[in-house]
Amino acid sequence: CFGTLETTPKSETGVYKLTFGSSSSGRPGGPGGGGPGGGGSSSTSFAAGTWTISGLNISVTNPTSYTSGWNYNIVDATKKTIELTRYLSHEQEIGKLYIPETIDGYTVVGFANFQSNTDLFNTANDLINYKYMYLPATFEYFGNNSMRNTVFEYINGDCSAVKVGDYAFYKNYLVEFNIPVSSIGISSFEQSKNLKEISLSKDINNIPTNAFKDSPLLEKVTSDDSTWIETVGDSAFENCYNLNTINLSHIATSIGNKAFMHCHNIYEADLNWTVETIGESAFAYTNIESIEIPVSVETIEDSTFYHCSRLKNIELGHAKTVEDNAFSYTNINELVIYNVNSVTSISETAFNYVP
């Protein structure tokens, strides 16, 4: 052949090296070449584009973009932004998928929404090869169901934060998600069986229903001191057995039913005084050792602290009602009620099986 095309160490910027000739071919070396007899080889580097060398047209494209392998929708014609709707197989045996920053002069801002039985990659035969995904600085969101059931393990990129839609990473293989999340959808990371840590940006407001449910290896949900979460939805962290780092003091309003049920590594629950609602079984089967109920909470719901076997000290705040099994199977030895006259109802089973 005329020459061998190789990427240089700077291949991600679209710079390439073309090597002419070889010691065995006996062919001319090309520009600046090794001369007749093929006693050597020479190379030249150039950027992506179309080049003419000795009458031979050579087209060079950046293999980290694969722009021809995407379908898309126009999001905003004026701003020239698009969202990707389909990935087409390239039959490449590589492990990293780089999402292009631009295609056809349009800026890529995210992945489109999909129905529950489809996703962005369901037509890709070579998807099984990909473990790493790298996002450009322009990337803003993962649409509903867009990454559902995919095999990616590592998500990295240059973007400052991303929004994650409903079921976007449902039943995934993620090990690391190294971009702060600014918005989370219903069941967006449910059944993340290998994910250990997630970072929340200061813009996040709510963690909805089933957001991280059944993610047994999840240990840390990190955020800075400026991050406030209004609500944690039902079963948001249910069965996150290893969860041990989350700033509960920055939950502002409500904690849903079963929100932290079976989070066995939660030993402290320092709740903010602004919390108004703690749902049924919210902390059931955790290992919290003491709890101070915020004064704004009027009802301790059914089984809220059920089977918290290490729970010994409770400050009940201004609660008016304590419902069935609220503190059953705990080891309470101290109960403080700020205002006895405010209590109107305590269920007969509220403290079942307390020594």
Side-chain angles (χ1 to χ4, degrees), residues 26-287:
R27 295 178 182 271
S41 64
S42 65
S43 65
T44 184
S45 297
F46 45 89
T50 301
W51 296 79
T52 302
I53 300 177
S54 299
L56 178 66
N57 288 325
I58 299 175
S59 178
V60 182
T61 58
N62 185 346
T64 63
S65 294
Y66 295 127
T67 54
S68 62
W70 296 95
N71 292 337
Y72 57 86
N73 290 329
I74 294 176
V75 176
D76 189 316
T78 302
K79 296 180 179 179
K80 299 200 72 174
T81 57
I82 58 174
E83 60 183 11
L84 303 181
T85 60
R86 182 66 66 233
Y87 170 79
L88 307 176
S89 290
H90 298 283
E91 307 301 337
Q92 301 289 326
E93 294 185 3
I94 58 176
K96 296 181 180 180
L97 180 63
Y98 289 77
I99 306 305
E101 184 169 322
T102 60
I103 299 176
D104 299 334
Y106 288 87
T107 300
V108 176
V109 295
F111 292 157
N113 292 327
F114 291 84
Q115 299 299 318
S116 61
N117 61 338
T118 62
D119 61 64
L120 182 70
F121 298 96
N122 69 355
T123 61
N125 297 325
D126 58 353
L127 181 62
I128 194 171
N129 295 318
Y130 295 122
K131 301 298 182 183
Y132 297 82
M133 175 180 288
Y134 200 88
L135 305 175
T138 59
F139 199 90
E140 299 175 5
Y141 59 87
F142 290 92
N144 299 344
N145 293 291
S146 57
M147 302 288 293
R148 184 174 180 140
N149 298 315
T150 54
V151 298
F152 289 97
E153 296 179 4
Y154 302 91
I155 306 291
N156 296 282
D158 295 324
C159 42
S160 59
V162 291
K163 299 176 181 179
V164 182
D166 296 347
Y167 297 92
F169 285 91
Y170 181 75
K171 289 187 177 180
N172 64 78
Y173 289 83
L174 287 175
V175 175
E176 294 180 8
F177 191 94
N178 293 318
I179 301 169
V181 178
S182 59
S183 177
I184 299 178
I186 294 171
S187 297
S188 54
F189 290 96
E190 185 176 351
Q191 297 189 44
S192 297
K193 296 190 180 299
N194 299 311
L195 185 65
K196 293 184 177 181
E197 184 174 349
I198 196 80
S199 177
L200 306 180
S201 83
K202 61 182 177 59
D203 298 316
I204 199 162
N205 292 316
N206 302 289
I207 300 178
T209 300
N210 298 336
F212 295 94
K213 182 181 179 182
D214 296 329
S215 299
L217 298 185
L218 183 65
E219 296 177 1
K220 296 181 180 181
V221 179
T222 60
S223 58
D224 59 37
D225 290 338
S226 64
T227 302
W228 279 89
I229 299 169
E230 285 295 317
T231 62
V232 176
D234 294 348
S235 298
F237 294 96
E238 183 182 352
N239 298 331
C240 292
Y241 306 121
N242 285 324
L243 182 64
N244 56 42
T245 303
I246 184 170
N247 194 349
L248 296 176
S249 67
H250 276 219
I251 299 172
T253 305
S254 67
I255 299 172
N257 299 336
K258 301 181 180 180
F260 296 97
M261 185 175 177
H262 288 294
C263 291
H264 299 155
N265 278 344
I266 291 182
Y267 291 88
E268 298 179 1
D270 183 15
L271 303 182
N272 193 278
W273 286 101
T274 60
V275 171
E276 299 174 355
T277 304
I278 306 174
E280 296 179 6
S281 301
F283 290 96
Y285 297 97
T286 62
N287 280 306

